[in-house]
Amino acid sequence: MKLHMLWLVLVLIAVQAHATKQRKNAKIPALIVFGDSIMDTGNNNNLSTLLKSNFPPYGKDFPGGLATGRFSDGRVPTDLIAENLGLAKTIPAYLSPNLKPRDLLKGVSFASGGTGYDPLTAQTMSVVSVWDQLIYFKEYISTIKKHYGKRKARYILDHSIFLVVSSSNDLAHTYISQSYKYNSTSYATFLAKSAVKFVRELHKLGARKIGVFSALPVGCVPLQRSVRGSVLTRECVKPLNNMAKQFNTRLSPALRSLNRKLDGFEVADRACCGTGFLEISYMCNSFNPFTCSNSSAYIFWDSYHPTERAYQVMVDKLLSKYLSKLF
């Protein structure tokens, strides 16, 4: 099955101020993640938002079949990358009420489903903006210093991997509300500048190894195909994909929009949950009789988010190609 889908390219920001002093084989102590639902491990659970996933059938392939607030059938890239780095099989959500200081040592996710670089995106969805995620990150650093000392905090900042995954919600949803003052090109430029600003602020707070994911071709997710694509063919929404490409091109001169092909999946144009056309969050629930029994055959879990298997394919390719460039 071929899919003109995930030119999910990792843009590595060269902000290693102390790179010459670091050993190439220095151990990675933690994975720190910012962004949206792709990386959210449960931060939306206790927010007053409709965008949640802490109920079945979400999590049906997660260890124990638990619906943890991850927007997938199982684990998400945050977890899969952490496991590949030898840190842990799962990474906790920073807003988890059960979080203990020791849980922070191997990493944490500040990501909040529904957010974006545009402040209006988080405001509309009543979720945590990427800018507020930086405030939580400051709290994280203070907690590490308080319980484990300044040296430990410095080591985590110098050697950990920091990932930023955002922009999809801005492009797919907020742009419509902002179209009175932006066209597609100027909005993509605005988002790219916002992403660069975010990285700059993250660097000011001490992060050194920072990776930024490019925009997904959001016009190809089942939800957009169903709502804005052709009724009969449900083709990808080209204007959305073009805007994502514009964002990617402006995010970094070195970024190339790649047409990824994921092989081995039987179903690419609809999701596993429900009918596969529109269901997301509360519409994807255990009362829907149409949810597939074999989610690993599908690229998408709900109408917006990939399955764990699809995430695994992406993470494996990303790490094999880009991880060495962080050292």
Side-chain angles (χ1 to χ4, degrees), residues 163-184:
L163 295 180
V164 185
V165 183
S166 195
S167 76
S168 294
N169 297 304
D170 300 316
L171 296 167
H173 308 298
T174 311
Y175 170 64
I176 297 175
S177 301
Q178 297 279 46
S179 59
Y180 72 95
K181 63 177 180 179
Y182 295 104
N183 58 32
S184 61

Side-chain angles (χ1 to χ4, degrees), residues 114-127 169-170 174 187:
T115 199
Y117 291 118
D118 187 336
L120 181 60
T121 303
Q123 180 182 341
T124 302
M125 298 305 300
S126 298
V127 296
N169 297 304
D170 300 316
T174 311
Y187 190 64

Side-chain angles (χ1 to χ4, degrees), residues 34-56:
F34 304 85
D36 56 28
S37 55
I38 291 177
M39 308 300 260
D40 187 356
T41 58
N43 283 308
N44 279 15
N45 290 354
N46 296 306
L47 299 181
S48 297
T49 178
L50 292 176
L51 195 58
K52 297 186 180 185
S53 57
N54 56 339
F55 46 82

Side-chain angles (χ1 to χ4, degrees), residues 86-99:
L87 294 171
K89 288 191 175 182
T90 59
I91 290 294
Y94 183 73
L95 296 182
S96 170
N98 301 317
L99 196 68

